[in-house]
Amino acid sequence: SQTIHQWPATLVQPVGSPLSLECTVEGTSNPNLYWYRQAAGRGLQLLFYSVGIGQISSEVPQNLSASRPQDRQFILSSKKLLLSDSGFYLCAWSVQGLAGGRADTQYFGPGTRLTVL
Amino acid sequence: QQQVKQSPQSLIVQKGGISIINCAYENTAFDYFPWYQQFPGKGPALLIAIRPDVSEKKEGRFTISFNKSAKQFSLHIMDSQPGDSATYFCAGRKNSGGYQKVTFGTGTKLQVIP
């Protein structure tokens, strides 16, 4: 079965500090990978997605960047955090190229709670 | 532009009652409609999903009703239990150039009281 991991689980960082959040997926190959942000009491905003190693697409302009150095590893970074970067960051994966059944949607990791002070 | 509208924002139901959450979508390119359940501090988990060529799907106490012509769908939770207390998100999915573009509703916070 497939498993998705995120770390750290929680993080408190000062404004202006760098950020690195990591996501890894086990039990599947060549997944599509996604980074979402969820503000308190709000819905999910897609930040980045990746269809392969080194292939990153950004959905919204922002202070963050993403990288995919390995097939099942997805990293979210920032050089200088802003207060507005606080939130719950979720990594998700989906299968490429299959149709039908529960493979038709995205599966989320446990999330990282980021507080910027 | 919000493409999936979800209501109500919050819902309180007595144990054993029926919880109903409604969603409306605008993008006719959506070809799959999942519902996610999220507990505090956890990632959303897939609960149940439906294709637009099906009018109803039932899994245990959870049922999706889908009205393609009205571009509306709803989640019904029968015999609601305190353990169902969570935030529920509806969503519409579109295949887009090799990846899934999923648009989420804003969520419904459900509280089931004993």
Side-chain angles (χ1 to χ4, degrees):
Chain A
S1 62
Q2 298 82 17
T3 308
I4 179 168
H5 303 278
Q6 288 186 244
W7 63 90
T10 60
L11 191 61
V12 180
Q13 292 284 91
V15 170
S17 64
L19 173 74
S20 181
L21 304 181
E22 189 167 343
C23 169
T24 59
V25 180
E26 297 178 352
T28 187
S29 297
N30 196 28
N32 288 332
L33 296 172
Y34 310 81
W35 277 113
Y36 286 86
R37 176 169 58 204
Q38 185 176 29
R42 303 285 295 276
L44 294 96
Q45 179 189 31
L46 178 63
L47 302 176
F48 301 94
Y49 66 90
S50 171
V51 299
I53 295 174
Q55 301 179 62
I56 309 296
S57 296
S58 175
E59 282 289 298
V60 293
Q62 59 205 315
N63 185 43
L64 302 168
S65 62
S67 62
R68 184 171 177 175
Q70 300 180 43
D71 180 45
R72 289 170 289 178
Q73 184 185 31
F74 205 21
I75 297 172
L76 185 68
S77 303
S78 174
K79 292 182 179 179
K80 290 185 177 182
L81 283 169
L82 306 172
L83 287 173
S84 58
D85 291 324
S86 293
F88 192 46
Y89 288 84
L90 291 156
C91 181
W93 74 274
S94 67
V95 175
Q96 286 202 40
L98 293 181
R102 299 176 82 82
D104 272 358
T105 190
Q106 297 174 10
Y107 297 88
F108 287 86
T112 294
R113 173 74 59 193
L114 171 66
T115 303
V116 182
L117 301 175
Chain B
Q1 179 186 7
Q2 182 183 359
Q3 294 184 312
V4 180
K5 296 182 179 180
Q6 183 172 348
S7 64
Q9 187 174 1
S10 62
L11 182 62
I12 299 175
V13 174
Q14 290 273 355
K15 178 182 176 182
I18 302 173
S19 303
I20 301 174
I21 303 171
N22 300 300
C23 287
Y25 65 98
E26 300 168 5
N27 191 341
T28 55
F30 290 151
D31 58 4
Y32 197 64
F33 297 86
W35 284 87
Y36 288 85
Q37 179 188 55
Q38 184 179 28
F39 293 104
K42 306 295 184 183
L46 178 65
L47 182 65
I48 187 173
I50 196 168
R51 297 186 177 280
D53 55 350
V54 177
S55 60
E56 184 176 282
K57 184 172 182 180
K58 183 176 181 180
E59 291 185 359
R61 296 184 295 108
F62 300 91
T63 300
I64 301 176
S65 297
F66 192 89
N67 186 330
K68 187 175 181 179
S69 61
K71 292 189 285 186
Q72 295 175 348
F73 58 112
S74 60
L75 176 69
H76 295 233
I77 306 174
M78 310 299 289
D79 187 27
S80 298
Q81 299 297 312
D84 296 331
S85 298
T87 299
Y88 293 81
F89 292 93
C90 62
R93 185 211 76 166
K94 179 182 74 169
N95 271 322
S96 180
Y99 84 104
Q100 296 182 7
K101 171 74 172 175
V102 180
T103 302
F104 292 89
T106 51
T108 296
K109 187 173 183 179
L110 170 65
Q111 183 181 1
V112 181
I113 55 176

